[in-house]
Amino acid sequence: MQIAFLADVHFQDLYGEFSDSDFKGIENPGTGKKTILRTMDSQLHSTRIFNENYFAFLAALDDIAKRNIKIVALPGDFTDDGQAYNLRGLKKILDGYQKKYGMRFFITTGNHDPVGPFLKQGGKSDFMDENGGELSIVSDENLIRKKDSKSIFTRDIAMSGYLEILNSMNDFGFAPSGKDIFWQTPFSKDSYQQFQFKNALKDSEYENRMYEVSSGFSVPDLSYMVEPTDGIWLMAIDGNTYIPKNIDGNPDDENNYSGASIGYNNVLSNKKHLFLWVEKVVTEAKRLNKTLIAFTHYPILDFNDDANSEIKQLLGNDKWQMDRVPNDEVAELFAKAGLKLHFAGHMHINDTGVKKFKNGKMLVNIQVSSLAAYIPGYKILTVKSEDEFEVEMVCIKNVPRFNELFSLYEREFKNLKTQNSSDIWNHDILKTKNYRDFTLFHLKELVRLRFVPSDWPKDFIEKASKLSGKDLLKLSLGNSKDLSKFNTKSFETWRFDDALLNLYQFQSADELAKKDIPKKRLSQYRILEENFTMLETDDEFLTQLKLFFAILEKLSTGDDADHLKIDFKRGELLKL
């Protein structure tokens, strides 16, 4: 039995239509098609690609179809903010693959779908206009930032709440199907033996899926568990926890709720019924000899390969998305409930997290890469038995039509040059030959334009950026300047900025990043890490470099995240 996991698709319908506006986008001179797209500048400042992932999504689905995999799970952020036109476009695609290939899709919510528990007015100011400039598309005129800017108004750009998402996407797991052997929510009363489709249908209704996130504040929970094929239980956990900003405010005010991006740390405090439900389902699965696989948008284990302490020392407690790292209590509660295998997205990274407990239990969290970031791909889970699984990462490298919008970006680049804009994106991204290289270039620009300015100490970056590999080698040796045993010439082929990019590559792609980094340089990183570890110093800059290479070492040597076998009976992971 095989299941494909596609996380963080962030689908945005390039060729969608607004139901209440004649605007269909700008014409692409290369194809003649009207296209609704965001600017290249906006996506190179974002942790996700907005446009080209449309084509990558289709390529991934085609690849899954070729492999004859029939069950596909989407662990959240299946759209980019859940706007009505994007939901319609996604539904059309999923319906088409279900009809043509007999696939079944099972989705769960992410912090981008919905953005809040209830419908919110919204829009973006970074769509592209016909001249390569920015265009605002908003659902409310009060949201226009620049009053003199070009604007399109449509209610289809408002950010859907749970009700709208449930009504649009209920064919993909949120409601039971006649094909299901069993289906329930955390609020269902019927046992496995009592299961009736009509009762499950009633349980799936919006008003029957509410809980109090805080006293007096009722919001939906779209979690469900389904048995799509005999013996397999898929648990789709809605990890979104939208906490009221003002407990004296209006419970129906869509703007009175904080975002859900922190993930399970808020579930701990305000959505504890999920842990009780998981425990109940695990117990039932064991009793009935069912194989349980859970998936949520959010990770339940550390995803930084035990480098959190060094990251905090180097960058601070509030950088590198530290607030998204789940507390240890999250894993402990899931393990106590008996959960073993969990798939997640949210972080746009490829990673395997493993935690073993004193009682012999083992919990495995599989982070699924995003199709909208480096390295783009999806995971295939092969169920061998109740205790034995195989997990494989599939990279999406060659994507038909990935460069279809490049002529429009040329127009944007010329417009930015004319305006003498500062920090213009690197035009060479339009020379990339495949989608994988495109996402790597995206990461490179993201590091330069966003991560370095926002996360890294300015003094450290200014000093480190001037250093070559040879300079770093000298510093790592401290008072001992004996370079005779090293091939210093090969250390001169790269600079600190290359190491910084490689650090982010390992964070994003884990061991798969090694395919994009010279082997010689990887061995030199190991030498530098060993040297800095032995170096005793009170110098602040050298201490920062020690931390940097310690983080690089940990991120590059984590648990296997390419192709592995999980054996819960023996409590081990084996690289395949």
Side-chain angles (χ1 to χ4, degrees):
M1 183 65 214
Q2 290 191 311
I3 302 167
F5 288 85
L6 279 168
D8 298 276
V9 172
H10 286 284
F11 178 83
Q12 188 167 270
D13 197 353
L14 295 173
Y15 307 108
E17 293 186 354
F18 300 132
S19 60
D20 55 354
S21 170
D22 294 332
F23 180 75
K24 289 181 170 55
I26 59 174
E27 186 170 316
N28 185 339
T31 63
K33 287 183 181 179
K34 293 281 189 179
T35 310
I36 303 171
L37 78 159
R38 311 272 284 278
T39 63
M40 176 64 84
D41 186 66
S42 67
Q43 60 182 7
L44 292 181
H45 281 82
S46 172
T47 54
R48 60 196 183 276
I49 290 165
F50 298 128
N51 303 324
E52 283 66 32
N53 49 312
Y54 175 96
F55 306 113
F57 181 47
L58 297 177
L61 290 176
D62 287 341
D63 190 68
I64 291 166
K66 283 179 185 175
R67 295 170 188 264
N68 203 32
I69 297 172
K70 300 302 183 186
I71 296 179
V72 184
L74 278 67
D77 283 3
F78 43 86
T79 64
D80 203 63
D81 291 350
Q83 301 96 334
Y85 84 102
N86 287 329
L87 289 169
R88 286 195 300 268
L90 179 62
K91 179 175 170 30
K92 184 178 179 181
I93 288 172
L94 298 185
D95 280 340
Y97 278 85
Q98 286 197 155
K99 186 176 180 181
K100 186 174 181 179
Y101 298 106
M103 289 179 179
R104 293 199 64 197
F105 294 94
F106 296 94
I107 63 179
T108 190
T109 53
N111 57 304
H112 281 274
D113 38 30
V115 174
F118 311 117
L119 179 75
K120 292 177 74 170
Q121 298 306 315
K124 304 289 181 185
S125 61
D126 55 18
F127 285 91
M128 193 187 294
D129 70 15
E130 64 277 4
N131 299 315
E134 290 190 336
L135 171 71
S136 291
I137 303 181
V138 294
S139 61
D140 187 314
E141 61 183 8
N142 293 319
L143 295 172
I144 300 174
R145 293 177 192 168
K146 301 173 186 173
K147 294 300 178 186
D148 58 342
S149 66
K150 298 176 184 177
S151 304
I152 302 293
F153 296 100
T154 170
R155 64 173 178 266
D156 287 352
I157 201 76
M159 298 177 285
S160 296
Y162 272 109
L163 179 61
E164 292 76 21
I165 284 175
L166 180 61
N167 289 340
S168 299
M169 310 302 286
N170 61 2
D171 288 341
F172 311 114
F174 285 140
S177 161
K179 298 175 183 178
D180 297 331
I181 298 169
F182 183 50
W183 188 95
Q184 69 163 207
T185 76
F187 315 107
S188 296
K189 299 291 191 291
D190 288 356
S191 67
Y192 189 78
Q193 288 78 8
Q194 297 169 324
F195 177 72
Q196 292 185 48
F197 178 71
K198 64 176 182 178
N199 291 348
L201 210 55
K202 187 76 177 170
D203 290 340
S204 72
E205 292 175 4
Y206 180 76
E207 58 270 20
N208 294 325
R209 303 172 86 161
M210 309 294 284
Y211 75 101
E212 273 200 336
V213 67
S214 189
S215 182
F217 289 82
S218 289
V219 295
D221 174 356
L222 292 192
S223 301
Y224 64 91
M225 195 280 293
V226 61
E227 184 174 0
T229 188
D230 188 34
I232 301 291
W233 278 15
L234 262 183
M235 175 179 269
I237 303 173
D238 175 3
N240 288 345
T241 311
Y242 295 105
I243 300 173
K245 296 175 185 175
N246 178 7
I247 58 171
D248 296 320
N250 182 357
D252 298 323
D253 179 3
E254 67 276 13
N255 295 309
N256 190 27
Y257 291 87
S258 60
S261 64
I262 289 174
Y264 271 108
N265 291 338
N266 280 347
V267 173
L268 281 174
S269 57
N270 291 67
K271 206 173 182 178
K272 286 186 176 178
H273 71 266
L274 281 182
F275 295 107
L276 298 173
W277 178 57
V278 171
E279 189 170 10
K280 178 184 170 186
V281 171
V282 169
T283 302
E284 276 294 279
K286 284 180 181 175
R287 187 178 70 82
L288 298 165
N289 293 317
K290 307 293 183 182
T291 300
L292 178 67
I293 300 123
F295 67 102
T296 327
H297 186 54
Y298 306 100
I300 62 174
L301 288 177
D302 166 47
F303 44 79
N304 286 324
D305 298 312
D306 295 323
N308 292 323
S309 174
E310 290 86 351
I311 292 169
K312 288 178 181 178
Q313 287 179 67
L314 180 57
L315 304 181
N317 293 333
D318 59 346
K319 304 295 184 181
W320 197 277
Q321 304 186 79
M322 277 292 119
D323 59 341
R324 295 184 173 191
V325 176
N327 297 337
D328 288 343
E329 190 184 348
V330 172
E332 287 163 7
L333 284 171
F334 274 120
K336 182 184 174 185
L339 192 68
K340 296 189 296 187
L341 183 59
H342 179 272
F343 286 76
H346 191 44
M347 301 310 302
H348 299 189
I349 64 173
N350 172 45
D351 185 67
T352 301
V354 183
K355 192 171 180 70
K356 294 182 179 180
F357 299 86
K358 291 178 182 178
N359 59 5
K361 289 183 178 179
M362 182 172 77
L363 181 62
V364 178
N365 180 77
I366 304 292
Q367 284 297 132
V368 184
S369 294
S370 170
L371 286 172
Y374 174 83
I375 283 179
Y378 69 95
K379 300 265 177 149
I380 297 174
L381 170 70
T382 304
V383 181
K384 301 282 190 179
S385 71
E386 200 175 316
D387 290 306
E388 194 176 315
F389 303 86
E390 191 177 314
V391 179
E392 182 182 1
M393 166 75 174
V394 179
C395 297
I396 300 297
K397 179 180 179 180
N398 296 307
V399 171
R401 301 167 60 195
F402 91 95
N403 57 357
E404 187 166 299
L405 310 177
F406 281 18
S407 59
L408 292 171
Y409 297 138
E410 291 280 7
R411 190 182 297 174
E412 176 193 345
F413 189 79
K414 287 177 183 176
N415 181 60
L416 289 171
K417 291 281 280 186
T418 303
Q419 295 177 5
N420 294 317
S421 301
S422 61
D423 286 333
I424 299 178
W425 47 270
N426 190 336
H427 182 268
D428 287 347
I429 192 171
L430 303 183
K431 298 176 184 176
T432 50
K433 302 299 183 185
N434 58 62
Y435 186 63
R436 178 189 168 118
D437 289 350
F438 180 82
T439 61
L440 177 54
F441 211 112
H442 170 262
L443 178 63
K444 185 178 180 180
E445 285 293 85
L446 186 60
V447 170
R448 179 176 74 91
L449 297 171
R450 176 171 165 174
F451 289 154
V452 167
S454 66
D455 279 2
W456 290 81
K458 190 176 180 182
D459 290 346
F460 171 72
I461 289 294
E462 285 179 354
K463 284 184 183 179
S465 295
K466 297 173 183 174
L467 303 175
S468 67
K470 182 179 177 180
D471 295 329
L472 289 163
L473 178 61
K474 287 180 181 178
L475 290 172
S476 74
L477 292 169
N479 294 326
S480 168
K481 299 297 183 184
D482 182 14
L483 300 176
S484 59
K485 61 180 179 179
F486 301 103
N487 178 7
T488 56
K489 198 167 186 64
S490 64
F491 275 84
E492 291 177 342
T493 60
W494 57 272
R495 304 189 62 77
F496 173 81
D497 288 347
D498 297 307
L500 182 60
L501 174 62
N502 295 160
L503 181 80
Y504 279 101
Q505 285 176 260
F506 279 120
Q507 185 213 11
S508 300
D510 209 277
E511 65 190 285
L512 293 173
K514 291 177 181 177
K515 296 178 181 179
D516 296 324
I517 303 170
K519 284 184 180 179
K520 187 71 175 175
R521 192 189 305 170
L522 291 173
S523 64
Q524 291 168 349
Y525 288 159
R526 180 66 58 85
I527 291 168
L528 289 171
E529 190 272 333
E530 290 172 353
N531 288 351
F532 274 116
T533 298
M534 292 186 290
L535 181 67
E536 293 184 11
T537 179
D538 294 325
D539 183 89
E540 183 184 10
F541 181 60
L542 291 178
T543 301
Q544 288 173 318
L545 287 174
K546 284 183 71 166
L547 290 167
F548 176 88
F549 283 100
I551 295 166
L552 181 57
E553 171 68 12
K554 287 189 173 183
L555 292 179
S556 63
T557 56
D559 288 298
D560 180 62
D562 182 10
H563 192 182
L564 65 149
K565 175 184 172 184
I566 307 170
D567 190 330
F568 284 101
K569 195 167 281 185
R570 295 186 178 184
E572 62 184 16
L573 271 65
L574 299 172
K575 184 178 176 67
L576 297 177

